[in-house]
């Protein structure tokens, strides 16, 4: 990792002069301001931000948008929460707060001193606010995410003068493949600045990364080796240890920064580097240590001739790689599954249509046939795809999910196919392998495939035909092997006729189409309710009042399973400790109101051939009304509609 930015502070007079020259001349003198700060200030200037005066509108998530963001970042938040409580204990009473932000700079969780939080909220240091540089200027969270390393921004170093009362230290949080998941930050009054704060935040961020690594490569669920490395045996098991994940055939697929530094590697080395090229010890030897003495440290020798200590933890290994070499990576062969107890069986609660979909999907497990899942939003397409993956022969390999509608159009290509260093503005210096390569050996799930731009459909088709992927910026083609599952709520044949979806890609994806029924058409609602209640509160025998159960069975459920599960989660949370019956007063207000309206009852409507066109017309009208209501401000219109700005742009271009 690069050294932390802004170590040598500029004095206030230098910062004032640098800001004056930036405003008057549009440039920054190199002798007044350090390089990282200068890069950040220039990015803010080029984004149109003015250091002084009224700040333009910056994104603040609505309640629904924040809920969706928290759900997407559930794993990160779960692992960060106890670490942030520890961090808050260390900084309590210092006029400060601890903050967890997502990869886009949105604040996801905060803890702090009450007397400081009030001041912080006046500059939007609160949940749902976005602290990306382009909206909030130079700040520790936004700049750490942009520079991809630890950052301190103190007092007048903030680009916007209104934030000058703050001192902030932030560190990016990386997943085991080197992707930035977010940032951890401590912000406080600039008069309480302490140079040790950054070190404290850095240690806390490493603790979160450790927890993420151990979860992603849990030896109880993952077939491979987990290596813990350090120069001293006493360092193993501490936050300073290096972490490596190695597949059965000896490929490095996960790490932390400490391990990469110890071995002289970069994040780009993952997925392409066999372990025998970085350690002198063979894969057979490592496996033997993992199976026989996982608690005992051993000495290993790195490729650069240095000695280190390692503790090897073995997962559910099915067969060893011979001689520690990766000689051939073959597609996973079909192996027997246990239909009565696997993940697909757990989804079967009695509905005949859903049971038929499960039965047909099971026959394709382990076979090179793509599956296309169709159904309304919220019916559980990703849950179904994940269950199919966990029930098949690739269950111990990655399941990589990509939502084609949620990614900005200009980033989908880099996200899917990866990129070389310097492939585009803002690209990571070390490049990235891409989601397709990450799915090698496992399952690639492309959600909302109907929203993929036409230009990328051609590239995806080529990858599916050739089973080779070429990253952006060039480089050698890389062979990939994965099971493909796609999902959409769109009518793809109609999209083909409208010219929005390639016919050749459709027939490549459509090995087997499975329609997942909406909740209102399923006959197993009562069993679904029982299953979800047992999942939510397994320690209690919770039931639903008979009159409420009758109303729930007659309800249309426009949000399908997603709406049902959220409603049950809320109801269980509102139950008293001595009450095991969910009744009307435990329902969310919106569902309660909907159940009491006459049109809430499901209708057996006949198929309407004009429905798709009518819905598209209504969608267009809703967009036009929102844009007009917001005076042409597309960011405000997107927020009002509850969709991302990129999705709004795409709809404005594609809708007739």
């Amino acid at each position: 990792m690069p050294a932390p930015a802004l170590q040598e502070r500029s004095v206030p007079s230098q910062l004032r002069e640098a800001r004056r020259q930036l405003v008057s001349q549009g440039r920054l003198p190199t002798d007044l301001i350090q390089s990282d700060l200068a890069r950040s200030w220039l990015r803010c200037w080029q984004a149109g931000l003015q250091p002084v005066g009224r700040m333009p509108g910056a994104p603040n998530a609505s309640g629904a948008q924040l809920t969706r963001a928290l759900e997407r970042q559930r794993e990160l938040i779960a692992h960060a929460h106890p670490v942030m409580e520890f961090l808050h204990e260390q900084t309590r009473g210092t006029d400060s707060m601890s903050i967890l932000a997502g990869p886009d700079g949105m604040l996801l969780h905060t803890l702090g001193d009450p007397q400081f939080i009030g001041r912080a909220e006046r500059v939007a240091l609160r949940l749902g606010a976005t602290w990306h540089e382009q909206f909030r200027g130079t700040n520790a969270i936004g700049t750490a995410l942009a520079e991809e390393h630890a950052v301190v921004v103190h007092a007048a170093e903030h680009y916007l003068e209104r934030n000058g009362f703050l001192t902030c230290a932030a560190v990016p949080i990386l997943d085991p493949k080197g992707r930035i998941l977010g940032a951890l930050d401590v912000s406080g009054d600039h008069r309480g600045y302490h140079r040790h704060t950054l070190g404290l935040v850095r240690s806390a961020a490493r603790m979160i990364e450790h927890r993420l690594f151990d979860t992603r490569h849990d030896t109880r669920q993952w077939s491979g080796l987990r290596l813990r490395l350090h120069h001293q045996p006493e360092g193993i098991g501490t936050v300073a240890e290096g972490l490596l994940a190695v597949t059965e055939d000896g490929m490095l697929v996960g790490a932390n920064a400490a391990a990469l530094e110890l071995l002289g590697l970069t994040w780009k080395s993952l997925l392409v580097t066999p372990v025998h090229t970085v350690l002198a010890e063979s894969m057979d030897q490592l496996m033997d240590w993992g199976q026989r003495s996982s608690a005992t440290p051993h000495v290993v020798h790195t490729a650069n001739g240095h000695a280190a200590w390692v503790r090897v933890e073995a997962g559910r290994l099915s067969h060893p790689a011979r001689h520690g070499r990766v000689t051939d990576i073959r597609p996973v062969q079909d192996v027997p599954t246990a239909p009565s107890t696997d993940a697909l069986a757990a989804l079967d609660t009695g509905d005949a249509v859903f049971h038929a979909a499960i039965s047909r999907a099971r026959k394709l497990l382990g076979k090179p046939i793509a599956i296309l899942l169709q159904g309304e939003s919220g019916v559980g397409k990703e849950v179904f795809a994940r269950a199919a993956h966990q029930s098949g022969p690739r269950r111990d390999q990655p399941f990589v999910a990509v939502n084609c509608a949620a990614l900005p159009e200009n980033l989908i290509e880099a996200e899917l196919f990866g990129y070389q260093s310097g492939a585009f503005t803002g690209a990571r210096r070390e490049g990235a392998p891409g989601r397709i390569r990450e799915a090698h050996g496992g399952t690639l799930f492309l959600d909302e495939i109907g929203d993929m731009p036409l230009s990328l459909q051609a590239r995806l088709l080529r990858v599916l035909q050739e089973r080779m992927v070429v990253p952006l910026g060039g480089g050698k083609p890389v062979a990939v092997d994965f099971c493909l599952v796609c999902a959409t709520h769109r009518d793809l044949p109609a999209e083909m006729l409208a010219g929005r979806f390639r016919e050749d890609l459709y027939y490549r994806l459509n090995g087997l189409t499975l329609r997942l029924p909406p909740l209102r058409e399923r006959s197993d609602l009562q069993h679904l309710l029982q299953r979800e209640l047992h999942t939510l509160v397994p320690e209690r025998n919770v039931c639903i009042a008979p009159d409420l159960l009758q109303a729930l069975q007659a309800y249309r459920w426009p949000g399908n399973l997603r709406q049902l599960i959220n409603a049950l989660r809320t109801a269980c949370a509102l139950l008293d400790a001595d009450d095991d019956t969910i009744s009307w007063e435990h329902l969310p207000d919106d569902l309660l109101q909907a159940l009491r309206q006459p049109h809430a009852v499901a209708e057996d409507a006949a198929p309407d051939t004009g429905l798709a066109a009518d819905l598209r017309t209504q969608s267009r009208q809703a967009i036009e009304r929102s844009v007009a209501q917001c005076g042409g401000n597309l960011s405000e219109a997107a927020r009002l509609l509850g969709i991302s700005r990129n999705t709004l742009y795409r709809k404005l271009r594609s809708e007739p």
Side-chain angles (χ1 to χ4, degrees):
M1 294 287 289
L6 316 183
Q7 288 182 319
E8 296 182 3
R9 314 253 70 85
S10 300
V11 299
S13 59
Q14 292 175 316
L15 292 170
R16 285 194 296 271
E17 176 59 22
R19 184 176 277 108
R20 186 193 66 78
Q21 292 192 31
L22 178 63
V23 172
S24 62
Q25 304 173 25
R27 64 179 183 83
L28 282 170
T30 57
D31 58 335
L32 293 180
I33 186 170
Q34 56 267 39
S35 59
D36 286 1
L37 186 60
R39 285 196 299 270
S40 177
W41 279 23
L42 284 172
R43 285 194 296 267
C44 299
W45 177 259
Q46 291 161 2
L49 289 181
Q50 294 297 320
V52 185
R54 189 171 181 272
M55 190 181 72
N60 283 277
S62 65
Q65 290 170 328
L66 179 58
T67 299
R68 288 194 294 269
L70 295 177
E71 181 64 23
R72 285 195 302 270
Q73 298 291 339
R74 181 172 49 185
E75 182 188 31
L76 172 63
I77 296 169
H79 289 301
H81 194 274
V83 177
M84 290 182 68
E85 289 183 339
F86 166 78
L87 184 60
H88 177 52
E89 285 298 318
Q90 311 310 306
T91 58
R92 188 188 297 274
T94 61
D95 240 9
S96 65
M97 63 190 298
S98 303
I99 301 169
L100 177 70
D104 57 354
M106 181 187 291
L107 306 197
L108 303 174
H109 186 55
T110 62
L111 285 172
D113 297 329
Q115 68 273 17
F116 179 75
I117 288 180
R119 297 176 61 199
E121 287 184 345
R122 290 200 292 270
V123 292
L125 271 176
R126 58 174 178 267
L127 290 183
T130 297
W131 277 73
H132 191 285
E133 274 188 344
Q134 73 178 94
F135 303 117
R136 307 283 180 185
T138 302
N139 68 90
I141 292 172
T143 305
L145 292 172
E147 292 285 330
E148 299 185 6
H149 60 66
V151 165
V152 171
V153 180
H154 177 61
E157 291 172 347
H158 288 86
Y159 181 81
L160 300 180
E161 287 193 351
R162 68 196 304 264
N163 296 330
F165 74 95
L166 295 169
T167 184
C168 311
V171 178
I173 300 170
L174 309 181
D175 76 357
K177 289 183 170 60
R179 291 192 302 261
I180 294 181
L181 298 179
L184 186 64
D185 169 87
V186 168
S187 293
D189 190 294
H190 74 282
R191 292 168 295 186
Y193 167 72
H194 199 292
R195 65 178 60 212
H196 295 316
T197 302
L198 181 62
L200 185 62
V201 179
R202 194 195 301 273
S203 296
R206 297 299 86 84
M207 291 166 67
I208 297 171
E209 291 175 349
H210 264 59
R211 293 168 61 88
L212 286 164
F213 181 94
D214 285 343
T215 300
R216 300 272 181 96
H217 301 289
D218 188 338
T219 52
R220 295 170 299 179
Q221 303 175 2
W222 182 67
S223 60
L225 297 179
R226 195 164 63 184
L227 276 58
R228 301 183 182 275
L229 299 142
H230 199 272
H231 291 297
Q232 303 174 27
E234 297 81 8
I236 294 176
T238 70
V239 72
E241 71 180 350
L243 299 169
L244 274 184
V246 185
T247 62
E248 292 178 75
D249 45 26
M251 190 67 70
L252 304 185
V253 294
N256 68 353
L260 297 179
E261 183 179 0
L262 189 150
L263 298 174
L265 302 176
T266 66
W267 291 111
K268 199 173 180 180
S269 306
L270 298 180
L271 304 177
V272 296
T273 304
V275 69
H276 75 265
T277 64
V278 295
L279 293 178
E281 284 66 27
S282 69
M283 186 65 181
D284 283 345
Q285 178 66 77
L286 295 174
M287 282 186 169
D288 184 64
W289 286 343
Q291 292 169 333
R292 294 175 182 272
S293 55
S294 61
T296 304
H298 301 274
V299 176
V300 291
H301 299 84
T302 65
N304 53 21
H306 298 144
W309 290 85
V310 66
R311 193 172 77 204
V312 184
E313 298 165 347
R316 297 184 292 108
L317 296 170
S318 56
H319 60 274
R322 296 300 171 194
H323 311 300
R325 300 185 67 83
V326 181
T327 56
D328 190 17
I329 300 177
R330 300 181 183 275
V332 180
Q333 300 301 312
D334 197 3
V335 297
T337 60
S340 61
T341 59
D342 64 15
L344 277 174
L347 296 181
D348 192 352
T349 50
D351 179 75
V353 176
F354 207 83
H355 174 78
I358 291 174
S359 299
R360 299 187 76 192
R362 191 183 299 285
K363 293 178 181 178
L364 266 62
L365 298 180
K367 297 181 173 65
I369 300 174
I371 295 177
L372 177 62
L373 302 177
Q374 291 198 297
E376 296 177 6
S377 178
V379 297
K381 296 186 286 291
E382 182 172 350
V383 173
F384 190 98
R386 193 177 294 274
H389 169 77
Q390 293 170 347
S391 302
R394 299 175 183 262
R395 66 177 68 87
D396 296 326
Q397 302 302 320
F399 177 87
V400 178
V402 180
N403 189 320
C404 300
L407 289 171
E409 186 171 335
N410 60 334
L411 292 182
I412 294 179
E413 188 172 14
E415 183 77 8
L416 277 178
F417 305 108
Y419 55 87
Q420 297 281 19
S421 174
F424 55 89
T425 302
R428 290 180 49 188
R429 300 183 188 91
E430 299 167 348
R435 307 308 298 275
I436 291 178
R437 284 175 61 190
E438 290 174 7
H440 178 71
T443 298
L444 177 66
F445 175 62
L446 298 179
D447 198 6
E448 303 298 355
I449 186 69
D451 292 289
M452 177 175 282
L454 273 170
S455 59
L456 295 190
Q457 293 178 24
R459 281 207 64 183
L460 177 61
L461 176 65
R462 193 175 307 117
V463 171
L464 297 180
Q465 289 173 335
E466 301 174 0
R467 291 287 164 166
M468 305 282 285
V469 62
V470 179
L472 285 177
K476 295 181 179 179
V478 179
V480 287
D481 164 48
F482 54 83
C483 172
L484 179 65
V485 182
C486 298
T488 183
H489 69 281
R490 295 187 181 276
D491 182 351
L492 291 187
E495 294 294 303
M496 285 192 299
L497 291 175
R500 289 188 289 266
F501 201 85
R502 292 179 63 106
E503 183 176 2
D504 46 6
L505 178 59
Y506 173 73
Y507 290 113
R508 174 67 66 171
L509 301 178
N510 188 20
L512 173 67
T513 295
L514 298 175
R515 177 183 174 272
L516 302 187
L519 191 53
R520 63 182 174 275
E521 295 179 6
R522 293 181 62 162
S523 60
D524 57 347
L525 178 63
Q526 192 164 350
H527 295 292
L528 276 172
L529 291 167
Q530 293 171 352
R531 184 189 73 187
E532 295 304 329
L533 287 173
H534 179 71
T535 301
L536 291 168
V537 281
E539 71 283 358
R540 299 171 65 178
N541 186 24
V542 175
C543 62
I544 298 175
D547 59 331
L548 176 58
L549 178 60
Q550 185 177 2
L552 295 178
Q553 289 175 323
Y555 182 51
R556 297 187 68 255
W557 295 107
N560 292 298
L561 279 173
R562 185 181 297 123
Q563 181 187 11
L564 173 70
I565 293 170
N566 285 337
L568 291 178
R569 183 180 291 119
T570 300
C572 289
L574 293 176
L575 274 175
D576 293 330
D578 57 350
D579 185 5
D580 287 337
T581 301
I582 294 175
S583 52
W584 294 88
E585 64 266 22
H586 300 122
L587 296 182
D589 290 346
D590 57 341
L591 178 58
L592 187 63
Q593 181 181 2
L595 287 173
R596 289 173 172 166
Q597 293 176 354
H599 66 266
V601 178
E603 301 172 359
D604 295 324
D608 182 359
T609 56
L611 180 59
D614 184 56
L615 288 175
R616 192 170 293 117
T617 300
Q618 293 181 33
S619 171
R620 180 72 184 190
Q621 291 172 347
I623 289 173
E624 290 174 348
R625 284 196 303 270
S626 299
V627 172
Q629 182 179 338
C630 297
N633 187 320
L634 296 185
S635 296
E636 290 295 330
R639 187 153 46 246
L640 183 65
L641 290 163
I643 60 178
S644 73
R645 186 170 54 183
N646 291 290
T647 299
L648 177 59
Y649 288 153
R650 191 153 56 240
K651 285 182 176 293
L652 287 171
R653 286 195 298 267
S654 63
E655 302 266 359

